[in-house]
């Protein structure tokens, strides 16, 4: 039977199970509390009734007329007095006996003159022989009662001459308890209904908190999550609010070169990855994207995102990472393609304009002017290319500069390159794509600032040197310049002097790359007007 009930219970939905369990718990709790209350009330009323009976007995024993009548064995005086006291105090009986336990007063006349030994012999002896006051619950000749017994002393107060026994029927107690029991049952019923209502509300809230899923569905999702994590080539590690690892995949173990048999779950992230910035994200709640981290011989590209509750509080952090060398090849190829494409596009556009000009000169018969333009164009371009070949032998950096030079001419601007510039000693350890990204974004920023402020004919200046321990790049523009506040804020993500949406990321990326290369960047007032950006990148670094 229990097996059948258990099986059917398991087939119920989670919400129904929770309502049944919480309702049963509430029923047991309220039932136990109610039962205890009834028992405690019954015991307290009986004790109170016993004290009242003893108090009446002591009052009767102290009455002078009772003392005299007992000394004189005067039952005729004692019987009406005892009856009057019983009526006034609503006692069931008041019995008075002499020192031998012979009844001198009793509600039933036939019992007067007979021994009290049949009514609580031991208790009577305690009162008559030792003078003890007694409260007892007994079933005597008049029914179940709470009895209070006390000795009667003579006029001197030294000798025991009799005993008074006052009884209050327990029916009064039972009636009182029954009246309270109904009230208690009503309260228990209301409490049970309230508890069931709260159980239903709690079950619904819990159901919403787990997105309406059943335990079986949650188990399936958990397995799917594990399978998904293992299928991802990136390493994944997650920690809880205490900084302990809650999730990881095999790619993480492999990438970090950890023992595959080690137990990571529940381990502090600071023990597994000392110095991990996941704890910083846990404190600040600020995500970190595309951070380069060196661990042993490896360089990793890491993203760290905080896990936020519905209230916006951080309750954990998840980190994804991948070996940088797996991304470098694709990134380098893409950078080269972009630079070559930019160079070719600018050159094509520039030469298209020149060809149209030459064609126009020929059509109007200005042959000498056409030849002069062709010679001047060839001379300027060949001079620039010759300078780049001699002073900037790296094809990626030279291609970037040539592309920006042509871009400036296309915009109607002049890009002056210091003839003493030199960029020959560039260590192989410094990624070329980062230098190109830094230089390209700074030049683009200078071109846009100059074009907006100065217009056609505006100039930007580029100088660079590899002398000493640093690679130094300086870019000047004829833009509006920057205030001290702007100099501090311009490298923040999304900060831009342009109104169009989508700007404000180039200089932020520049600062990220400069920091990753352990370099510095500063902004000064330029000699040609506008701003001068100075970038210093140390040659001997570990990246």
């Amino acid at each position: 039977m229990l097996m059948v009930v258990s099986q059917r219970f398991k087939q119920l939905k989670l919400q129904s199970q929770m309502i049944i369990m919480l309702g049963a718990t509430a029923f047991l709790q309220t039932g136990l509390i109610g039962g205890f209350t009834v028992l405690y009330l019954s015991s307290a009323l009986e004790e109170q009734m016993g004290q009242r009976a003893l108090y009446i007995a002591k009052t009767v024993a102290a009455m002078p007329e009772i003392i005299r009548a007992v000394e004189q064995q005067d039952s005729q005086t004692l019987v009406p007095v005892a009856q009057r006291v019983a009526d006034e105090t609503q006692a069931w009986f008041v019995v008075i006996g002499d020192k031998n336990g012979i009844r001198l007063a009793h509600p039933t006349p036939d019992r007067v003159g007979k021994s009290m030994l049949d009514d609580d012999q031991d208790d009577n002896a305690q009162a008559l022989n030792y003078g003890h006051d007694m409260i007892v619950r007994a079933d005597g000749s008049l029914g179940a009662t709470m009895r209070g017994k006390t000795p009667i002393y003579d006029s001197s107060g030294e000798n025991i001459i009799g005993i008074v026994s006052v009884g209050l029927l327990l029916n009064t107690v039972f009636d009182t308890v029954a009246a309270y029991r109904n009230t208690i049952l009503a309260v228990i019923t209301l409490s049970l209904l309230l508890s069931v209502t709260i159980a239903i509300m709690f079950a619904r809230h819990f159901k919403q908190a787990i997105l309406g899923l059943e335990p079986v569905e949650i188990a399936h999702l958990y397995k799917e999550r594990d399978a998904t994590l293992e299928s991802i080539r990136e390493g994944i590690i997650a920690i809880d609010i205490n900084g302990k690892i809650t999730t990881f995949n095999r790619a993480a173990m492999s990438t970090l070169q950890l023992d595959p048999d080690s137990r990571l779950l529940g381990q502090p992230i600071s023990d597994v990855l000392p110095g991990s910035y996941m704890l910083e994200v846990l404190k600040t709640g600020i995500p970190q994207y595309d951070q380069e981290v060196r661990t042993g011989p490896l360089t990793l590209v890491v993203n760290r995102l905080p896990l936020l509750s519905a209230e916006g509080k951080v309750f954990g952090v998840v980190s994804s990472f991948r070996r940088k060398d797996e991304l470098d090849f694709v990134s380098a190829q893409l950078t080269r393609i972009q630079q070559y494409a930019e160079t070719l596009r600018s050159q094509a556009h520039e030469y298209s304009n020149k060809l149209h000009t030459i064609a126009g000169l020929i059509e109007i018969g200005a042959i000498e002017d056409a030849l002069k333009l062709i010679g001047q164009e060839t001379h300027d371009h060949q001079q620039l290319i010759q300078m780049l070949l001699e002073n900037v032998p790296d094809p990626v950096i030279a291609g970037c500069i040539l592309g920006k030079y042509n871009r400036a001419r296309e915009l109607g601007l002049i890009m002056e390159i210091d003839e003493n510039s030199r960029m020959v000693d560039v260590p192989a350890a410094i990624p070329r794509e980062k230098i190109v990204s830094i230089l390209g974004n700074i030049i683009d920023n200078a071109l846009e600032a100059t074009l907006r402020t100065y217009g056609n004919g505006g100039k930007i200046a580029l100088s660079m040197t590899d002398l000493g321990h640093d690679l130094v790049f300086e870019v000047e523009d004829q833009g509006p310049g920057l205030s001290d506040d702007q100099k501090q804020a311009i490298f923040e993500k999304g900060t831009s002097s342009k109104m169009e949406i989508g700007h404000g990321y180039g200089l932020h990326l520049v600062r990220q790359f400069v920091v990753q290369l352990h370099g510095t960047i500063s902004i000064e007032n330029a000699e040609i007007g506008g701003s001068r950006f100075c970038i210093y990148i140390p040659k001997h670094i570990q990246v």
Side-chain angles (χ1 to χ4, degrees), residues 145-338:
T145 56
M146 288 300 297
R147 302 181 182 185
K149 299 176 180 289
T150 189
I152 302 174
Y153 289 89
D154 60 10
S155 300
S156 65
E158 297 179 356
N159 300 315
I160 296 174
I161 60 174
I163 183 174
V164 177
S165 177
V166 175
L168 301 178
L169 276 178
L170 285 178
N171 288 343
T172 306
V173 175
F174 297 152
D175 293 341
T176 304
V177 170
Y180 279 106
R181 184 186 295 114
N182 294 333
T183 302
I184 292 172
L185 288 175
V187 172
I188 289 174
T189 302
L190 290 176
S191 299
L192 180 59
L193 293 175
L194 179 62
S195 298
V196 171
T197 302
I198 294 175
I200 294 173
M201 295 174 62
F202 176 77
R204 289 178 178 174
H205 175 74
F206 185 80
K207 190 76 172 178
Q208 292 176 354
I210 59 175
L211 306 179
L213 299 174
E214 294 296 320
V216 174
E217 295 173 329
I218 295 175
H220 289 166
L221 287 176
Y222 184 81
K223 292 179 180 179
E224 289 177 9
R225 187 210 66 162
D226 283 348
T228 302
L229 286 176
E230 295 304 329
S231 67
I232 297 175
R233 294 185 61 187
E234 288 193 348
I236 304 290
I237 290 183
I239 61 174
D240 61 15
I241 194 171
N242 298 314
K244 294 184 178 180
I245 297 175
T246 58
T247 301
F248 65 94
N249 61 357
R250 293 180 184 175
M253 302 283 287
S254 175
T255 302
L256 298 174
Q257 298 181 348
L258 299 175
D259 183 0
D261 296 327
S262 60
R263 297 178 61 87
L264 295 187
L265 287 179
Q267 295 295 320
I269 189 66
S270 56
D271 292 348
V272 179
L273 296 175
S276 172
Y277 285 94
M278 293 180 72
L279 296 177
E280 178 181 335
V281 177
L282 189 64
K283 292 180 181 179
T284 63
I286 301 175
Q288 299 176 354
Y289 298 100
D290 299 327
Q291 301 289 312
E292 289 193 14
V293 176
R294 191 167 184 84
T295 171
L298 300 177
T299 300
L300 306 178
V301 178
V302 184
N303 293 291
R304 307 179 186 94
L305 279 76
L307 301 175
L308 303 177
S309 65
E311 295 78 18
K313 296 182 178 180
V314 180
F315 65 88
V317 176
V318 61
S319 174
S320 63
F321 48 90
R322 195 166 184 175
R323 292 178 56 171
K324 181 176 179 294
D325 54 10
E326 294 180 1
L327 305 175
D328 281 347
F329 179 76
V330 175
S331 177
Q333 294 297 324
L334 179 60
T335 300
R336 288 188 177 94
I337 291 172
Q338 288 176 333

Side-chain angles (χ1 to χ4, degrees), residues 64-82 96-98 102-106 112-113 152 161:
E65 58 182 314
I66 296 296
I67 296 173
R68 287 195 300 270
V70 171
E71 289 177 336
Q72 297 172 5
Q73 300 287 304
D74 185 0
S75 293
Q76 292 182 353
T77 301
L78 293 174
V79 169
V81 173
I96 302 174
D98 61 14
I102 302 301
R103 297 187 183 97
L104 299 177
H106 194 281
V112 175
I152 302 174
I161 60 174

Side-chain angles (χ1 to χ4, degrees), residues 486 489-498 503-508:
Q486 288 176 321
I490 197 169
F491 294 108
E492 298 297 328
K493 184 184 291 186
T495 301
S496 174
S497 59
K498 297 179 283 294
H503 292 284
Y505 295 93
L507 292 181
H508 172 72

Side-chain angles (χ1 to χ4, degrees), residues 332-370:
Q333 294 297 324
L334 179 60
T335 300
R336 288 188 177 94
I337 291 172
Q338 288 176 333
Q339 293 299 327
Y340 293 152
E342 178 71 14
T343 299
L344 292 173
R345 189 193 65 79
S346 297
Q347 287 181 337
H349 189 274
E350 177 67 15
Y351 280 109
S352 176
N353 292 333
K354 296 297 182 182
L355 288 173
H356 284 108
T357 302
I358 293 170
L361 290 172
I362 293 174
E363 286 181 2
I364 63 175
I367 305 299
E368 291 184 4
D369 291 334

